[in-house]
Amino acid sequence: MALEQTLVLVKPDGLVKSLTGNILSRLSETKLVIIASKVVRVSEHLAKQHYKHLSDKPFFDELVKYIMGDVHKTHRVLALVYQGEDAIAKVRDIVGDTNPEKANPVSIRGAYGRITTTGVFENVVHASSSTEDAEQEIKLWFKPEEVVGDIYPTRTVVREKVSEKDWA
Ligand code: IDP
Ligand code: MG
């Protein structure tokens, strides 16, 4: 047993279908702890980075459009980090098989996913599949200060003349 972190995304189809509550309820069965969460407007760069392992697949362009929300006319993804013993396997178990038609019907993807006419698996959620993937994905989606707890080593960077938006 190992203390692990895992990235969960409620993809645009999950948000548009109002499945967030159901998904979080299912995931709460794991008794894992949420240590980060935010709603993200997914840029093309972020989408392509997240799915870079699939860049040679015929469905890659459709997949990028899907995670960006272009397909569902929403530009939101809910990103969360769960932490606990064997978090990766526990979440993947409840999430189900990548192909929603093959996924256990009681899993999240089995219950709510579908395959589009263009062949993309709209499977409602993303969940990291290994500790290496989880680390890479969490670092891609979250900044250290957005995560409660020191999960990976950090460094302090002094930036000068950085401009950022603030409330007016
Ligand atoms: P995972 O999400 O279960 O880890 P990956 O192989 O990492 O599966 O694929 C990422 C996403 O790409 C999937 O969740 C699904 O949306 C899409 N995808 C993967 N394989 C296929 C495929 O064979 N056809 C269509 N879409 C796919
Ligand atoms: Mg994957």
Side-chain angles (χ1 to χ4, degrees):
M1 296 269 274
L3 183 71
E4 292 174 343
Q5 295 80 29
T6 187
L7 179 80
V8 171
L9 304 176
V10 179
K11 297 182 180 182
D13 51 327
L15 292 175
V16 163
K17 292 174 178 172
S18 285
L19 293 171
T20 306
N22 305 42
I23 291 165
L24 298 189
S25 291
R26 291 299 313 277
L27 291 174
S28 71
E29 293 165 19
T30 61
K31 308 290 182 222
L32 297 167
V33 174
I34 296 171
I35 58 168
S37 82
K38 64 177 174 180
V39 178
V40 183
R41 185 183 180 100
V42 182
S43 66
E44 190 176 336
H45 177 75
L46 176 57
K48 287 183 170 168
Q49 282 293 115
H50 180 75
Y51 284 132
K52 65 176 188 295
H53 62 294
L54 299 170
S55 59
D56 58 346
K57 300 285 185 203
F59 55 84
F60 182 68
D61 288 351
E62 290 297 323
L63 182 59
V64 167
K65 281 188 207 153
Y66 162 42
I67 198 71
M68 287 180 71
D70 286 1
V71 177
H72 295 88
K73 309 280 179 264
T74 180
H75 291 94
R76 295 170 304 133
V77 159
L78 177 63
L80 306 114
V81 179
Y82 282 82
Q83 176 172 269
E85 297 292 329
D86 292 325
I88 293 168
K90 281 179 184 163
V91 171
R92 289 286 296 196
D93 192 45
I94 290 178
V95 161
D97 195 284
T98 306
N99 181 336
E101 299 298 333
K102 290 194 180 149
N104 186 327
V106 301
S107 68
I108 294 170
R109 287 170 165 177
Y112 302 123
R114 67 165 198 145
I115 301 178
T116 67
T117 49
T118 51
V120 174
F121 298 168
E122 282 186 6
N123 52 16
V124 186
V125 281
H126 166 83
S128 306
S129 48
S130 66
T131 49
E132 293 76 22
D133 282 2
E135 179 170 348
Q136 213 175 63
E137 293 170 359
I138 291 167
K139 289 178 173 176
L140 178 66
W141 287 80
F142 288 93
K143 294 188 174 123
E145 69 264 26
E146 293 175 322
V147 178
V148 175
D150 297 323
I151 55 171
Y152 307 122
T154 55
R155 63 199 168 106
T156 302
V157 187
V158 178
R159 292 198 179 88
E160 288 176 26
K161 292 188 182 165
V162 175
S163 66
E164 60 178 33
K165 208 178 269 187
D166 200 354
W167 303 118

